[in-house]
Amino acid sequence: MAELDKPQREVEVPGDWTYASAPESRDIVEIADRYGHFVGGEWLEPTETYETIAPRDEEPLAAVGQATAADVGRAVAAARTAYADGWSSLPGSERAKYLFRIARILQERSREFAVLESLNGGKPIKESRDVDLPLAAAHFFYYAGWADKLEYAFPNRRPRPVGVAGQIIPWNFPLLMLAWKVAPALACGNTVVLKPAETTPLTALLFCDVLRQAELPDGVVNIITGDGRTGAALVESEDVDKIAFTGSTEVGKEIQRRLAGTGKKLTLELGGKAANIVFDDAALDQAVEGIVNGIYFNQGHVCCAGSRLFVQESIYEPLVAKLERRLTTLRVGDPLDKNTDVGAINSAAQLERIRELVASGEEEGAEIYQPPCVLPEKGYWFAPTVFTNVAQSYRIAQEEIFGPVLSVLTFRTPEEAIEKANNTPYGLSAGVWTEKGSRILWMAQRLRAGVVWANTFNRFDPSSPFGGYKESGFGREGGLHGLEPYLTFEDSETFGG
Ligand code: NDP
């Protein structure tokens, strides 16, 4: 065997395993200097504009219109005309063709959209590329499939479109939230006026180009930009038949008050303070990945983020040690770098809110851990943060932080876990980590949350309904359930059963 021995050569072992930067080129996206409102298939010149920026370095990206009540009125009128002029009476199979086209175009242009989403919103490119864009396209594909099957989805109920839908979306998943709202609305035969969030209008404006490419009839989707005043004007518009809102509980309540007694349909997808519950029989390394995904995905700007971690007491120390070690490997930085795990905070206002709540956690007596990481000097940044020694009464355990901040609490028995997890005004989502199937079912029946994930977190599929209890809102988006808010039904008895 001696002759087979390879000559021994000294191989230099690299000592530095730091990732080289791998920036995604932004050349693929063309950003105009100025944008108007997309109304009736045309660009409406705005009377007033504001600047939208890149949160990673505060670079100004474009001047965007601030829609006035008159602009909102024009958009609603265009949507009403398109509704009456044929869209609502188009056979479902014809509407489906447009939705399929939109889905395909989104897939074809996904890189362009992903770069723009990360640039304007601050989320890591690997998330916009691998999560936001594929899911947005999947929503259009999914609801295209329902457009000609509404009679079968709701047998004997004679589904009819509602009319003009006013849709107001937040800044955490700008294109995905647009897809969640526009796809079911169109599949059901409604027309739309959509307002993206003030800080993240650019992918919605690029989407107007997709609508033109898909040759969607003019006025079926209208996009107006602006701040909360524009949203309020849309809510108050008399000719809107339905409002779909995703955002803060405070604004959601205000909208509900305004619409009370008007007969308009309303769905609210609001905040959350999800419990992620880890039992002592769970696969700890897998759970740590789920915890990290649950709270640091999209910088924690996620309504269903697992922001309260409940750990069974017997595994508290090893789990927290593993979690803190894992945090040291998270790469915080340029959203356009393909290696980045945690990107920029969406806005100065949101950064301020995170800082204020984190300061309250320290003042109230919680223990803070942040991994060593160098944050860029310009732009809005916050290091991934874990709080231990947290009491349930602390603000960081009660209020939605909407940032990369986790509060760790403990429990001894499943009953105690349920009691603590449900001790919140919210009820959007929860996670359970255990190897026992029966325990998963026992927990899922008792957790007051719209979605309960088992041995995973933040999993989305267009066919699965999503929505909340209590102050997390009402109505469901996604799946068959997501069609209902965009339909009216004739009484099945009148119809003859
Ligand atoms: P908002 O609820 O203010 O924003 C959501 C959307 O509503 C935006 O398009 C916003 O416009 C619009 N809007 C604001 N005021 C009104 C109004 N009076 N009538 C109609 N529409 C309105 O959320 P923020 O951006 O202020 O975030 C604050 C907090 O809300 C976050 O820290 C987080 O806790 C929570 N939040 C929860 C989200 C969720 O998915 N559940 C999403 C976003 C935030 P504009 O952007 O121009 O203000």
Side-chain angles (χ1 to χ4, degrees), residues 52-74:
T52 186
I53 62 162
R56 65 173 182 164
D57 57 3
E58 299 161 62
E59 174 201 356
L61 295 176
V64 174
Q66 163 69 45
T68 60
D71 296 330
V72 172
R74 282 188 200 104

Side-chain angles (χ1 to χ4, degrees), residues 192-260:
V192 163
V193 177
L194 177 130
K195 188 198 91 68
E198 180 185 357
T199 56
T200 52
L202 293 185
T203 45
L205 291 168
L206 184 61
F207 183 74
C208 301
D209 199 37
V210 172
L211 298 175
R212 279 186 167 180
Q213 233 180 311
E215 295 175 4
L216 190 77
D218 293 345
V220 171
V221 173
N222 306 275
I223 295 188
I224 47 169
T225 53
D227 61 18
R229 291 169 294 171
T230 306
L234 185 55
V235 169
E236 262 161 25
S237 169
E238 286 194 356
D239 209 20
V240 165
D241 302 296
K242 184 214 154 46
I243 292 289
F245 172 82
T246 299
S248 62
T249 297
E250 191 192 345
V251 173
K253 283 181 180 173
E254 173 63 29
I255 291 176
Q256 191 176 12
R257 275 193 289 271
R258 284 208 210 137
L259 291 191

Side-chain angles (χ1 to χ4, degrees), residues 150-159 489-497:
L150 299 175
E151 299 282 348
Y152 306 100
F154 304 102
N156 300 335
R157 296 185 65 196
R158 283 200 175 182
F489 300 97
E490 282 180 25
D491 189 314
S492 56
E493 273 176 44
T494 323
F495 177 50

Side-chain angles (χ1 to χ4, degrees), residues 164-481:
V164 175
Q167 306 182 325
I168 301 167
I169 56 173
W171 40 263
N172 51 347
F173 293 91
L175 187 74
L176 186 57
M177 289 300 105
L178 175 152
W180 277 28
K181 295 212 165 14
V182 172
L186 298 194
C188 294
N190 304 279
T191 55
V192 163
V193 177
L194 177 130
K195 188 198 91 68
E198 180 185 357
T199 56
T200 52
L202 293 185
T203 45
L205 291 168
L206 184 61
F207 183 74
C208 301
D209 199 37
V210 172
L211 298 175
R212 279 186 167 180
Q213 233 180 311
E215 295 175 4
L216 190 77
D218 293 345
V220 171
V221 173
N222 306 275
I223 295 188
I224 47 169
T225 53
D227 61 18
R229 291 169 294 171
T230 306
L234 185 55
V235 169
E236 262 161 25
S237 169
E238 286 194 356
D239 209 20
V240 165
D241 302 296
K242 184 214 154 46
I243 292 289
F245 172 82
T246 299
S248 62
T249 297
E250 191 192 345
V251 173
K253 283 181 180 173
E254 173 63 29
I255 291 176
Q256 191 176 12
R257 275 193 289 271
R258 284 208 210 137
L259 291 191
T262 62
K264 288 181 193 171
K265 281 180 88 128
L266 174 65
T267 39
L268 296 176
E269 203 268 89
L270 309 176
K273 193 75 189 171
N276 206 356
I277 305 165
V278 185
F279 284 93
D280 58 6
D281 61 347
L284 285 201
D285 290 323
Q286 200 180 319
V288 165
E289 287 311 303
I291 295 161
V292 167
N293 174 33
I295 186 65
Y296 304 114
F297 175 70
N298 198 21
Q299 298 74 246
H301 299 332
V302 184
C303 48
C304 53
S307 52
R308 290 181 302 152
L309 174 65
F310 289 98
V311 186
Q312 198 154 21
E313 245 178 43
S314 53
I315 52 158
Y316 174 78
E317 279 171 21
L319 187 85
V320 170
K322 273 178 188 285
L323 180 62
E324 291 186 353
R325 195 163 60 238
R326 177 68 176 89
L327 251 60
T328 61
T329 65
L330 288 179
R331 295 176 293 263
V332 185
D334 183 3
L336 287 192
D337 190 321
K338 284 172 262 183
N339 291 323
T340 293
D341 297 310
V342 180
I345 299 301
N346 182 264
S347 64
Q350 189 58 27
L351 180 59
E352 194 40 48
R353 178 171 165 77
I354 296 168
R355 283 186 177 148
E356 196 255 316
L357 275 159
V358 166
S360 83
E362 288 186 276
E363 275 159 28
E364 287 187 293
E367 208 169 295
I368 190 169
Y369 172 78
Q370 290 176 324
C373 58
V374 183
L375 300 179
E377 275 176 19
K378 277 190 100 181
Y380 313 129
W381 302 94
F382 201 84
T385 302
V386 175
F387 273 116
T388 49
N389 205 15
V390 179
Q392 283 200 81
S393 58
Y394 292 178
R395 285 181 67 201
I396 52 168
Q398 291 285 329
E399 295 180 32
E400 187 178 44
I401 303 175
F402 229 62
V405 183
L406 178 68
S407 297
V408 187
L409 300 102
T410 57
F411 68 94
R412 287 180 195 163
T413 62
E415 289 77 9
E416 190 187 346
I418 290 291
E419 205 180 307
K420 287 182 165 172
N422 287 342
N423 181 18
T424 168
Y426 296 112
L428 195 54
S429 64
V432 180
W433 298 82
T434 170
E435 66 162 23
K436 291 190 184 65
S438 57
R439 181 178 279 164
I440 290 170
L441 295 175
W442 190 91
M443 294 289 291
Q445 279 169 349
R446 287 160 181 79
L447 284 165
R448 295 287 292 159
V451 180
V452 180
W453 285 293
N455 294 323
T456 186
F457 209 90
N458 272 345
R459 270 207 179 246
F460 287 95
D461 189 281
S463 62
S464 174
F466 182 86
Y469 285 107
K470 303 193 285 185
E471 297 216 347
S472 292
F474 50 77
R476 294 292 178 263
E477 292 185 307
L480 183 66
H481 303 69

Side-chain angles (χ1 to χ4, degrees), residues 60-127:
L61 295 176
V64 174
Q66 163 69 45
T68 60
D71 296 330
V72 172
R74 282 188 200 104
V76 173
R80 178 62 60 195
T81 306
Y83 182 80
D85 277 0
W87 181 255
S88 59
S89 51
L90 208 61
S93 55
E94 290 301 310
R95 290 199 304 272
K97 284 184 193 168
Y98 290 104
L99 292 174
F100 277 125
R101 262 187 230 163
I102 293 171
R104 292 225 177 84
I105 298 168
L106 278 180
Q107 284 183 324
E108 281 162 17
R109 299 179 65 176
S110 69
R111 191 160 159 214
E112 187 184 350
F113 271 95
V115 169
L116 190 58
E117 196 75 307
S118 287
L119 197 57
N120 197 202
K123 65 174 64 193
I125 184 75
K126 69 176 176 190
E127 289 179 10

